[in-house]
Amino acid sequence: MVRRTVLPSGVRVLTETVPGSASASVSFNVAVGSRDETNGHFGSTHFLEHLLFKGTTKRTALEIAIAFDSVGGSSNAATGKEHTSYYARVQDKALPLAVEVIGDMLTSSLIDPVEFENERTVILEELAMNDDDPEDVAHETFFETVLGEHPLGRPIGGNEATITAVTRDAVWEHYKANYRPQDLVVAASGGVDHNQLIEMVEKSLTEAGWDLSVAAAPRERRITHPAQIKPASNLKVINRPTAQVNILVGSQGLVADDPRRYAMGILNTVLGGGMSSRLFQEIREKRGLAYSVYSFNQGYSDGSVFGLYAGCSPKKTREVTELLVAEFEKVAQHGITDAELALAKGNISGGLALKYESTQARMSRLFSAEIVTGEFIDLDTTLAAFDAVTLHEVRELAAEIAGRERTIVAVGECSESDFASLV
């Protein structure tokens, strides 16, 4: 059963009780991400993800870690382009502890100046680690290139320049402006009772010093409508001495609440969603040109990215890129077959059924629905929407996307001449 309560303070609490579950996943979420940063605050969102684990007025960083370790639980956080989440998975009987600790972290972080500088070094090391991964560099560059000057094009974690420049005061301002009762969405799934969770949340936040008696309306959701976005360029090549060239071909895709997202799910599955997909079969199985090859669509409130990826030997760069483009254009021109449509629907149906056996996946679905669209769609309704997708809808969507301005990004030992006439 899914339940939702909005407290007078604007705090939203959502639960999905899973009968028989001996565990519970809980998250405290705010609808602020890297896209919401302004001049002087760039990198603040990612900084906060780290700093909230570094101590509060009640607990040291070690005591926060011990709290979860003492009950065999796990805790973590994630920064996105449009939200930030702090979450844990514990035994159901340890849920009060998890709510108390995460509530304390979210409301009472010290953002200690010494810890701030220590964590600056840690984040710079994290960025350096990511920069050593050419596939990660390719994806980050692809988003920046396709989304151009739109705030969604900025890297989630910031970059060396922004992390080096941002001050403790700027991060503190960002924290105070975006971590308020009306910004907070608490979601939990598994062995959880809705009314008891509300009591836990109110107790945790009140003890931490938040005045929940002050009435406030929940933070308004973002406008979900495609923005006018101009790609930064059609071709971006980063030459590096790597064993493989990491290639991404694509354009803008579908925003998060586009009604055609179910057709997109079918399109992605047929194109690059598994071992039977067209890209996998044509590029890896038939020709042995790549180990990793796939497609994806990442949709946000007003921007999106659709892409095809492959990693291959530098000498095969041109051939693999041509195949990526050709396979997509085949779908755009001729559509997919009845057999492919049936296979994709079966793949998606089974995948979702397995996915939502996880309390963490169910929890994530709750807060995502609350933050993005305000509409919770259960598994049966979702499966029915996928089942209703037609061949014509898939082809029509592919044709529309194929007609958009194409971008190619490559990282490795290659040059712009390898992609001549393909953009």
Side-chain angles (χ1 to χ4, degrees):
M1 175 187 292
V2 173
R3 294 185 63 187
R4 174 182 183 268
T5 296
V6 179
L7 303 181
S9 60
V11 174
R12 286 160 284 175
V13 180
L14 298 94
T15 61
E16 183 174 14
T17 303
V18 181
S21 177
S23 68
S25 294
V26 63
S27 62
F28 282 52
N29 313 274
V30 290
V32 58
S34 56
R35 69 167 296 170
D36 302 301
E37 296 163 350
T38 55
N39 287 336
H41 296 88
F42 294 134
S44 294
T45 308
H46 186 206
F47 239 122
L48 285 175
E49 178 201 324
H50 284 246
L51 289 169
L52 265 59
F53 285 90
K54 303 304 288 184
T56 71
T57 54
K58 290 175 60 176
R59 294 177 173 85
T60 64
L62 178 59
E63 287 170 337
I64 290 171
I66 288 174
F68 290 107
D69 286 348
S70 68
V71 294
S74 60
S75 65
N76 211 331
T79 304
K81 291 183 183 286
E82 297 191 315
H83 75 272
T84 309
S85 179
Y86 304 86
Y87 56 91
R89 183 167 182 259
V90 295
Q91 253 188 314
D92 55 352
K93 65 182 181 181
L95 184 59
L97 171 69
V99 170
E100 179 189 351
V101 175
I102 300 177
D104 183 34
M105 290 165 51
L106 188 127
T107 60
S108 306
S109 176
L110 294 173
I111 311 187
D112 178 79
V114 174
E115 292 289 1
F116 181 85
E117 292 304 325
N118 287 340
E119 214 57 31
R120 190 196 303 274
T121 303
V122 171
I123 293 172
L124 289 172
E125 289 297 329
E126 180 184 358
L127 296 178
M129 177 184 69
N130 294 339
D131 194 53
D132 280 340
D133 181 346
E135 184 176 348
D136 190 81
V137 173
H139 276 273
E140 198 70 74
T141 305
F142 187 65
F143 272 73
E144 292 175 3
T145 306
V146 172
L147 295 170
E149 295 183 0
H150 193 285
L152 286 170
R154 294 198 298 260
I156 291 173
N159 55 41
E160 183 178 359
T162 59
I163 295 300
T164 300
V166 72
T167 65
R168 188 263 180 192
D169 287 345
V171 173
W172 179 259
E173 290 172 2
H174 191 67
Y175 174 55
K176 287 299 183 182
N178 294 287
Y179 285 64
R180 305 167 301 172
Q182 61 265 43
D183 299 312
L184 180 60
V185 175
V186 179
S189 177
V192 55
D193 176 271
H194 186 77
N195 293 328
Q196 290 178 1
L197 180 64
I198 290 174
E199 293 176 3
M200 296 175 205
V201 169
E202 290 181 322
K203 181 174 183 290
S204 172
L205 299 180
T206 301
E207 289 182 351
W210 272 13
D211 185 358
L212 300 185
S213 67
V214 178
R219 183 177 184 141
E220 291 186 4
R221 298 185 182 90
R222 301 176 195 274
I223 297 173
T224 52
H225 183 75
Q228 294 297 316
I229 298 175
K230 175 70 176 175
S233 70
N234 297 117
L235 178 61
K236 178 72 173 180
V237 174
I238 300 176
N239 192 279
R240 286 190 176 187
T242 56
Q244 281 195 318
V245 175
N246 293 266
I247 307 162
L248 281 155
V249 179
S251 64
Q252 293 175 50
L254 298 185
V255 297
D257 73 338
D258 193 303
R260 298 170 297 171
R261 62 190 180 274
Y262 302 104
M264 175 60 84
I266 299 292
L267 176 60
N268 259 328
T269 302
V270 172
L271 263 178
M275 294 176 65
S276 63
S277 67
R278 289 193 179 195
L279 293 178
F280 193 96
Q281 287 295 312
E282 289 296 324
I283 295 175
R284 174 169 166 167
E285 292 299 285
K286 292 183 181 178
R287 294 175 174 83
L289 296 173
Y291 176 77
S292 180
V293 55
Y294 53 83
S295 64
F296 62 93
N297 180 80
Q298 182 62 60
Y300 300 99
S301 59
D302 61 347
S304 58
V305 171
F306 170 81
L308 315 174
Y309 167 85
C312 66
S313 165
K315 63 184 179 181
K316 300 296 183 182
T317 298
R318 176 77 186 189
E319 183 180 1
V320 169
T321 307
E322 288 177 340
L323 286 168
L324 290 171
V325 172
E327 283 306 311
F328 183 49
E329 289 186 342
K330 285 179 187 176
V331 177
Q333 293 169 13
H334 308 293
I336 64 175
T337 67
D338 287 316
E340 286 176 319
L341 180 64
L343 183 88
K345 289 178 179 180
N347 181 299
I348 292 169
S349 175
L352 288 175
L354 294 175
K355 176 181 179 179
Y356 290 121
E357 286 189 347
S358 162
T359 57
Q360 190 163 320
R362 288 173 178 262
M363 172 202 73
S364 297
R365 178 175 59 171
L366 286 176
F367 79 74
S368 178
E370 176 64 33
I371 288 176
V372 178
T373 64
E375 179 185 17
F376 178 80
I377 302 175
D378 63 25
L379 181 57
D380 288 341
T381 304
T382 300
L383 294 177
F386 277 114
D387 194 52
V389 173
T390 66
L391 293 170
H392 174 72
E393 289 171 335
V394 176
R395 179 181 175 183
E396 188 177 58
L397 176 60
E400 179 183 323
I401 294 175
R404 295 176 182 174
E405 196 169 350
R406 180 186 299 157
T407 293
I408 295 178
V409 165
V411 176
E413 288 195 288
C414 58
S415 66
E416 291 188 358
S417 61
D418 292 318
F419 307 98
S421 77
L422 292 174
V423 291

